[in-house]
Amino acid sequence: MNILKIDSSVLGDNSVSRNLTAGIVADLVAKNPSAKVTVRDLDREAPAHLGNHLLPVLGGPKDGLNAAQQAELDITEAYLAEFMAADVLVIGAPQYNFGIPSQLKAWIDRIAQAGRTFRYTENGPEGLAKGKKAIVVSSRGGVRQDGAALDLHEVTVDVVLRFLGITDISFVRAHGLAMGPEAREAGLTTAKTEIAALNDALRAAA
């Protein structure tokens, strides 16, 4: 089993999503001791955001790249190789101002490439990253107030993964983290309960 852990929180050791992704990966490795784990810390090694200088890297001819573009191409190819090799994705996705962290979006911009992770067909786009499982840790300071209207960060991750062909997606939610000690504890308890249920389901499927 190949596990790819993606962390995008900027809070370092104080990050709830990081602590939860680490726990999920530890559980997976305990169940699969031979598993290979690859970690991408998108805060400590943040990918450059999409700009004109990156367009040759993300598509089209690769001739004539300058040194900076070649370095970006190398890291992009590494991201793509890790993503395609992964059997399980564990993604930490905190909510920042209604959306996902910009560094997680920058990573998505690197791996969502036509002809590599999806393709266009006469019947519409088709994801090429099928057969993977994704576990998404969704953390936020508040709670959902009105359905999905303020839930853009979960919607974004879910839509992107499905577009790339990944349909086995589980969300672990730690919400209400900034609403006082009781709400924080309740949010963490909910997340731990969801992780336990996820582990039970994985054991049953083994």
Side-chain angles (χ1 to χ4, degrees), residues 107-137:
W107 178 80
I108 290 170
D109 288 338
R110 301 302 185 101
I111 65 165
Q113 292 196 34
R116 307 289 295 278
T117 53
F118 73 93
R119 64 183 177 185
Y120 294 110
T121 75
E122 61 183 12
N123 296 318
E126 176 189 4
L128 301 178
K130 299 172 183 174
K132 304 179 188 300
K133 177 171 183 60
I135 302 171
V136 182
V137 174

Side-chain angles (χ1 to χ4, degrees), residues 77-199:
E77 290 299 310
Y79 288 157
L80 280 164
E82 293 165 356
F83 174 73
M84 293 305 290
D87 301 300
V88 180
L89 303 167
V90 180
I91 302 173
Q95 184 193 66
Y96 293 162
N97 295 319
F98 309 113
I100 61 175
S102 63
Q103 54 268 33
L104 180 55
K105 176 60 167 62
W107 178 80
I108 290 170
D109 288 338
R110 301 302 185 101
I111 65 165
Q113 292 196 34
R116 307 289 295 278
T117 53
F118 73 93
R119 64 183 177 185
Y120 294 110
T121 75
E122 61 183 12
N123 296 318
E126 176 189 4
L128 301 178
K130 299 172 183 174
K132 304 179 188 300
K133 177 171 183 60
I135 302 171
V136 182
V137 174
S138 165
S139 62
R140 69 173 75 182
V143 296
R144 296 172 72 171
Q145 298 288 335
D146 55 351
L150 297 180
D151 200 25
L152 298 178
H153 89 299
E154 285 191 13
V155 170
T156 298
V157 175
D158 187 74
V159 168
V160 168
L161 292 176
R162 293 182 187 280
F163 184 82
L164 300 181
I166 302 170
T167 57
D168 186 355
I169 305 169
S170 299
F171 280 88
V172 171
R173 295 180 173 93
H175 295 174
L177 301 176
M179 297 178 66
E182 292 184 4
R184 180 181 178 85
E185 186 60 32
L188 293 174
T189 297
T190 296
K192 292 173 183 176
T193 299
E194 291 174 345
I195 291 172
L198 185 62
N199 288 336

